[in-house]
Amino acid sequence: MKIEKQERIINAAMKEFIKSGYDKASTNEMVKDAQISKGSLFNYFSSKKDLYLFLIQNTVNIIEEIYVEIDMTERDIFERISQVGFIKLNIQKKYPLVFDFLKSLLEEDAQEVKSDINQLLANIQRDGMKRIYENIDWSKLREDIDPEKAMNILNWTMAGFAELQIAKIKSFEHVRVELFNEWDRYREILKRSFYKNGEE
Amino acid sequence: MKIEKQERIINAAMKEFIKSGYDKASTNEMVKDAQISKGSLFNYFSSKKDLYLFLIQNTVNIIEEIYVEIDMTERDIFERISQVGFIKLNIQKKYPLVFDFLKSLLEEDAQEVKSDINQLLANIQRDGMKRIYENIDWSKLREDIDPEKAMNILNWTMAGFAELQIAKIKSFEHVRVELFNEWDRYREILKRSFYKNGEE
DNA sequence: AAAACATTGACCAAAGTGGTCATTTTTTGT
DNA sequence: ACAAAAAATGACCACTTTGGTCAATGTTTT
């Protein structure tokens, strides 16, 4: 099957599952959006559930790329967090729905798929943030700053910044080259604030 | 009508609208959850749309309390932001669904109610954050820090912290007294980071 | 005990559900 | 050019759910 059609189907299905949750997601809406016939969809997937589970597995595979791509030898927290952000941005560009779909999975509570979700997400949930921030050198931090709190502030700032940029991109419909410069400003503020004088 | 029953209906309706969006929200589910009969619901409200619009107006009224309660003479950003957080926390305690419902309104795209939403939300959207951070004294900030970025970092941190605490409360089912101490730690970190030495 | 008001849930036509399959269209091998 | 195989279609199915109604029943007030 043409890869473009595959993506059309996957995206349409994800979009509908995100919007409506498993139970209320309509296969009719999916085929309309993907511009294929009802019959085709049920040729590719034996049931709605089958399709849903495929999408979950697909999502897990994509998300796991993050862990693989992280350079664990980079021990500076600001470098590491920028790295993760960069990887996530690339994923977002390639698969714009994948994070929203993941979020919808965590909120899903339909009995029919609940256990399957937990099972398939087990791997990426188990470690979560911990794996991403393994082997970080905290010694550069000012001593009066709790590393865990610093990490939280960084994470929240990163997430907030990302959300803001995505909103901008979605509304203005043009990717900003200044994006990374802008992030660097935030990075500088926090770095100067959190690190001991003279470090790095 | 008994106030307790009113709240049961409002909460059940909001819950269902949050979960399913306007179109797919089921009035049957609402009456089941609120433990009233179908007939009663349509006695109180002439239609699903009528109910929805009532909930929006109700939400707007509640949210607007925030603006009223802010002490505009407090010009320190950290005080102000803690104030807003405190007000929001109280609203969250009294009306646990109101912020989720507000969020769901912003994501709603059903044609039948889209224009009504925009109209009713116009007031609280127009100014948004601006009104909350009016008349702040930025002179205490270190000169190498852009006030707008500082404000963003603060906002994101506050939101992240709140989310974390709500998650904790929801899962552990007991409100933490240490909550404000914990927030004060974050506040200290950011204050020491952002303010000139010796300020405040 | 009568009148006024509140609440109920069986009921309705209409719309939507996940899934099927005989039929048509497209692709393939020769 | 043609037939066989593969892929795609959408009308159709039985079933569920939808928002909304209203005659009947319960509850209060006068």
Side-chain angles (χ1 to χ4, degrees):
Chain A
M1 199 200 311
K2 302 259 164 65
I3 203 160
E4 182 259 334
K5 190 194 218 173
Q6 267 187 51
E7 283 182 356
R8 238 170 42 226
I9 297 171
I10 289 177
N11 283 334
M14 282 182 131
K15 211 189 288 180
E16 179 65 15
F17 279 124
I18 291 167
K19 193 187 150 214
S20 307
Y22 177 77
D23 271 331
K24 299 197 177 184
S26 160
T27 51
N28 292 322
E29 286 298 315
M30 293 175 196
V31 299
K32 204 194 293 175
D33 188 14
Q35 302 172 77
I36 59 164
S37 69
K38 195 81 169 288
S40 282
L41 183 67
F42 283 93
N43 260 0
Y44 309 143
F45 304 96
S46 64
S47 69
K48 184 179 172 179
K49 184 172 178 179
D50 187 38
L51 164 60
Y52 194 62
L53 297 184
F54 168 82
L55 291 177
I56 300 178
Q57 187 56 62
N58 191 244
T59 298
V60 170
N61 293 344
I62 292 169
I63 299 283
E64 281 191 336
E65 280 180 32
I66 296 176
Y67 303 117
V68 178
E69 286 192 28
I70 296 174
D71 172 13
M72 283 297 183
T73 65
E74 177 56 67
R75 301 194 63 214
D76 182 85
I77 178 69
F78 288 94
E79 280 305 323
R80 179 73 68 85
I81 214 168
S82 296
Q83 229 182 71
V84 173
F86 187 73
I87 295 168
K88 279 190 178 174
L89 185 74
N90 280 337
I91 291 178
Q92 177 79 23
K93 261 195 267 182
K94 235 178 162 176
Y95 316 98
L97 295 171
V98 95
F99 290 114
D100 286 337
F101 185 66
L102 181 65
K103 199 179 136 208
S104 79
L105 291 177
L106 300 173
E107 288 164 3
E108 182 60 60
D109 59 348
Q111 279 307 316
E112 204 186 337
V113 291
K114 209 167 182 180
S115 67
D116 297 87
I117 291 175
N118 290 334
Q119 208 181 316
L120 285 164
L121 290 189
N123 296 326
I124 58 177
Q125 271 187 297
R126 195 187 308 129
D127 329 275
M129 294 281 100
K130 278 166 205 158
R131 238 166 97 191
I132 288 178
Y133 296 117
E134 236 170 45
N135 197 36
I136 290 294
D137 174 20
W138 295 108
S139 72
K140 290 189 257 180
L141 263 192
R142 283 169 46 170
E143 264 128 27
D144 53 3
I145 290 181
D146 174 8
E148 200 196 318
K149 291 194 171 50
M151 207 174 75
N152 279 338
I153 293 175
L154 265 163
N155 266 329
W156 294 328
T157 301
M158 185 88 189
F161 177 77
E163 206 178 351
L164 188 67
Q165 297 309 318
I166 288 169
K168 273 186 192 169
I169 288 170
K170 274 184 184 163
S171 66
F172 283 66
E173 218 55 79
H174 71 100
V175 188
R176 319 231 293 158
V177 193
E178 319 121 58
L179 198 147
F180 283 100
N181 291 330
E182 180 98 355
W183 168 245
D184 278 344
R185 297 290 88 70
Y186 282 97
R187 206 221 282 224
E188 274 166 24
I189 291 176
L190 291 171
K191 205 166 190 173
R192 251 179 291 136
S193 300
F194 287 179
Y195 275 2
K196 295 167 187 166
N197 285 340
E199 285 289 339
E200 264 249 337
Chain B
M1 197 199 315
K2 302 258 163 66
I3 202 159
E4 183 258 335
K5 191 194 217 173
Q6 265 187 52
E7 283 183 356
R8 238 170 43 225
I9 297 172
I10 290 177
N11 283 333
M14 281 181 132
K15 211 189 288 181
E16 180 66 14
F17 280 124
I18 291 167
K19 193 186 150 215
S20 306
Y22 177 77
D23 272 331
K24 299 197 175 184
S26 160
T27 52
N28 292 321
E29 287 297 315
M30 293 174 197
V31 299
K32 205 195 293 175
D33 188 14
Q35 302 173 77
I36 58 164
S37 70
K38 193 81 168 289
S40 283
L41 183 67
F42 283 92
N43 260 0
Y44 309 142
F45 304 96
S46 66
S47 68
K48 185 179 172 180
K49 184 172 177 179
D50 187 39
L51 164 59
Y52 194 63
L53 297 184
F54 167 82
L55 291 178
I56 299 179
Q57 187 56 61
N58 191 244
T59 298
V60 169
N61 294 343
I62 291 168
I63 299 284
E64 281 190 336
E65 281 180 31
I66 296 176
Y67 302 117
V68 178
E69 287 191 27
I70 296 174
D71 172 12
M72 284 298 185
T73 65
E74 177 56 67
R75 300 194 65 214
D76 182 86
I77 178 69
F78 289 94
E79 280 307 323
R80 180 73 69 84
I81 214 168
S82 295
Q83 229 183 71
V84 174
F86 186 74
I87 296 168
K88 279 189 178 174
L89 185 74
N90 281 338
I91 290 179
Q92 177 78 26
K93 262 195 267 183
K94 234 179 166 178
Y95 317 97
L97 294 171
V98 95
F99 290 113
D100 286 337
F101 185 66
L102 181 64
K103 200 178 135 207
S104 80
L105 290 177
L106 300 172
E107 288 164 3
E108 182 61 60
D109 59 348
Q111 278 308 315
E112 204 186 336
V113 291
K114 210 167 181 180
S115 68
D116 298 87
I117 292 175
N118 290 334
Q119 207 180 315
L120 284 164
L121 290 189
N123 296 328
I124 59 177
Q125 271 187 297
R126 193 186 308 128
D127 329 274
M129 295 282 100
K130 277 164 206 159
R131 237 165 97 190
I132 289 177
Y133 297 117
E134 235 170 45
N135 198 33
I136 290 294
D137 174 19
W138 295 109
S139 72
K140 291 188 255 180
L141 264 192
R142 282 168 47 171
E143 265 129 26
D144 53 3
I145 290 181
D146 174 8
E148 200 196 319
K149 291 192 172 52
M151 207 175 72
N152 280 337
I153 293 175
L154 265 163
N155 266 328
W156 294 328
T157 300
M158 185 88 187
F161 177 77
E163 204 178 352
L164 188 68
Q165 297 309 319
I166 288 168
K168 273 186 192 169
I169 288 169
K170 274 185 184 163
S171 66
F172 282 65
E173 217 57 76
H174 70 100
V175 187
R176 319 231 295 160
V177 193
E178 317 122 60
L179 198 147
F180 284 100
N181 292 330
E182 180 98 354
W183 168 247
D184 278 343
R185 296 291 89 69
Y186 282 97
R187 206 221 281 222
E188 276 166 22
I189 291 176
L190 291 170
K191 206 165 188 172
R192 250 179 292 136
S193 300
F194 288 179
Y195 274 4
K196 295 169 188 165
N197 286 339
E199 285 290 338
E200 262 248 339

